[in-house]
Amino acid sequence: MQTVDRLADGLDGFEGRRVLVRSDLNVPLDRSVVTDDGRIRASVPTIADLRSRGAKVIVLAHLGRPNGQPDSAYSLAPVAARLGALLDTRVTHAPDTVGDSARSVVEAMKNSDVVLLENVRFNRGETSKDDEERAVFADQLAELGDAFVSDGFGVVHRKQASVYDVAQRLPHAAGGLVLTEIAVLRRLTENPSHPYVVVLGGSKVSDKLGVIASLLGRADRLLIGGGMVFTFLAALGHEVGKSLLEDDQMDTVRGYLDQARAAGVGIVLPTDIVVAPEFDAESSATVVAADAMPADQIGLDIGPDSAAAFAAALGDAATVFWNGPMGVFEKDAFANGTRAVAEALTQTNGLTVVGGGDSAAAVRQLGFTDGQFGHISTGGGASLEFLEGKSLPGIDVLED
Ligand code: ADP
Ligand code: MG
């Protein structure tokens, strides 16, 4: 993959060049306030480097899942302000992505200026499955720049206009964040030290079940928490009440359990669950046995016995990959499982990698620091797909 340095050589330096940078600035917001700026901070070094070389830096990013049209709830304006504070410069926010505003803002740029264009997903062409529709939007994006740097690791598994198609249209390079992320994840796929323990949780269950198939051949132990647990418990014939459940995945999960047994891989499931009658009924939370969940309750965290067992199962790990919170950590009453796993990771001597937007936000929200982990990946889906051995379109397109 071409580096930023080599791209600079090819262009005779970045001075005065308009460089489009795809960053992953998809951060959690609470009424327009950024509640975890981890991804913005991770994006700063590449942008700062290009500025220092005199480039006009035009940042492309998305926020949330707007419906292919402008929606002020998903505006990047608050992100532009935070990015500016972290870069210690003014970041101009263009109120559209490729329209008159974007073009005139870019036109007015001086060397080392930074512009953040509005949410690329306000345009249908960004995420369209139709190559033609993406091409039209990618052409408009490419007109705004002289070169493209792909630095949004969290989106490289997407064949989207600002990730994939733009790279085909401009001289391009992989940014430092993408290169670092890939180097760390390679250590998990090429000769990981054993015991290799993987912890999976979170709520994007169907997205994540796939990784289990490939992990069964690599990992020694798989700890399952979060919303994913209930598909496993249901597959074992247990009642899961009103918990998150992927009915159509129960056969797949049974298959995994059989495969794991045959391969000698330990699948560790919780033995107790924190339940409540409603999602936000923190005060009514109780702990029940995992094989005796009441039908009118929702499972919202792994229980205390399970948290201790998970911590113990991480004790001797030489390599750990963790994606997905163990419970609804945003609420105190359901954060204990996630806290116990995070704590256990900080105690192991091995390489610990935390991946996923919410997982990364969770460890920081619970008071841990980035330095207590080997690596906090900015990508959830992207890191899982990498571990599955899938090819990532946004990386493949940078190879040539
Ligand atoms: P990541 O972003 O780290 O990949 P996900 O997006 O898959 O993780 O999942 C994060 C979300 O999962 C959090 O918002 C958390 O509240 C939710 N979650 C965890 N456990 C449960 C559960 N038992 N039921 C419902 N949601 C859950
Ligand atoms: Mg998430």
Side-chain angles (χ1 to χ4, degrees):
M1 257 182 297
Q2 172 128 293
T3 60
V4 168
D5 284 337
R6 272 187 36 214
L7 177 63
D9 291 344
L11 294 170
D12 247 349
F14 284 126
E15 188 80 33
R17 304 280 183 202
R18 300 169 304 162
V19 182
L20 294 176
V21 180
R22 178 55 160 108
S23 299
D24 179 4
L25 305 179
N26 188 27
V27 291
L29 292 181
D30 186 7
R31 274 154 292 176
S32 298
V33 177
V34 175
T35 53
D36 179 69
D37 66 1
R39 281 177 165 163
I40 308 179
R41 279 188 281 128
S43 303
V44 161
T46 295
I47 296 170
D49 175 39
L50 291 166
R51 278 194 77 211
S52 73
R53 303 187 201 204
K56 297 172 179 174
V57 186
I58 302 155
V59 183
L60 309 175
H62 77 282
L63 185 72
R65 296 189 171 183
N67 209 4
Q69 59 192 31
D71 179 343
S72 59
Y74 297 104
S75 171
L76 281 167
V79 173
R82 179 65 68 94
L83 178 61
L86 291 167
L87 282 165
D88 199 16
T89 188
R90 182 186 153 74
V91 171
T92 305
H93 172 245
D96 60 28
T97 322
V98 290
D100 292 343
S101 306
R103 281 197 300 268
S104 65
V105 164
V106 168
E107 187 69 31
M109 288 177 87
K110 299 190 189 62
N111 296 0
S112 302
D113 278 356
V114 182
V115 161
L116 174 60
L117 301 180
E118 188 52 286
N119 196 336
V120 288
R121 292 191 184 168
F122 285 0
N123 307 271
R124 276 172 49 110
E126 171 65 5
T127 57
S128 177
K129 298 279 177 253
D130 177 37
D131 292 349
E132 285 302 310
E133 197 173 19
R134 278 203 323 280
V136 171
F137 180 51
D139 284 342
Q140 292 171 315
L141 286 172
E143 267 178 39
L144 297 171
D146 305 309
F148 175 67
V149 173
S150 180
D151 206 36
F153 180 70
V155 286
V156 292
H157 59 315
R158 305 287 188 202
K159 193 173 180 180
Q160 297 179 340
S162 69
V163 179
Y164 179 83
D165 305 80
V166 167
Q168 294 180 316
R169 287 164 169 74
L170 292 172
H172 53 252
L177 177 60
V178 160
L179 292 175
T180 304
E181 294 266 15
I182 287 180
V184 174
L185 291 172
R186 284 224 168 99
R187 292 174 61 192
L188 299 182
T189 50
E190 295 165 8
N191 278 317
S193 306
H194 293 271
Y196 175 15
V197 184
V198 176
V199 190
L200 291 177
S203 57
K204 292 183 189 158
V205 180
S206 44
D207 286 4
K208 295 181 181 187
L209 282 173
V211 74
I212 294 177
S214 67
L215 287 173
L216 287 174
R218 296 206 176 103
D220 302 296
R221 238 168 269 150
L222 222 60
L223 318 187
I224 311 275
M228 190 175 294
V229 156
F230 305 101
T231 305
F232 279 79
L233 294 177
L236 291 169
H238 302 313
E239 168 71 51
V240 296
K242 300 189 285 174
S243 308
L244 209 62
L245 175 66
E246 304 270 333
D247 291 287
D248 54 344
Q249 299 292 327
M250 281 165 48
D251 281 339
T252 310
V253 163
R254 271 184 218 110
Y256 289 154
L257 290 168
D258 291 342
Q259 258 176 280
R261 213 170 295 125
V265 175
I267 292 198
V268 183
L269 294 173
T271 52
D272 56 351
I273 303 284
V274 180
V275 298
E278 300 298 335
F279 210 75
D280 50 7
E282 284 190 75
S283 55
S284 314
T286 52
V287 177
V288 300
D291 58 1
M293 288 182 65
D296 60 350
Q297 303 271 315
I298 315 173
L300 295 166
D301 193 13
I302 60 171
D305 289 352
S306 311
F310 280 28
L314 285 161
D316 65 346
T319 308
V320 182
F321 177 74
W322 174 24
N323 170 265
M326 296 294 97
V328 181
F329 71 92
E330 295 91 340
K331 301 196 165 73
D332 253 4
F334 313 124
N336 292 325
T338 304
R339 186 180 290 111
V341 165
E343 182 67 41
L345 256 65
T346 67
Q347 304 294 319
T348 60
N349 294 319
L351 169 67
T352 56
V353 179
V354 182
D358 291 289
S359 306
V363 297
R364 294 189 199 108
Q365 188 190 305
L366 295 174
F368 296 92
T369 58
D370 293 22
Q372 291 179 282
F373 303 92
H375 179 68
I376 299 192
S377 175
T378 53
S383 55
L384 287 173
E385 291 196 17
F386 188 93
L387 292 190
E388 277 178 71
K390 285 191 182 163
S391 73
L392 309 178
I395 297 296
D396 290 350
V397 75
L398 303 176
E399 300 291 356
D400 51 54

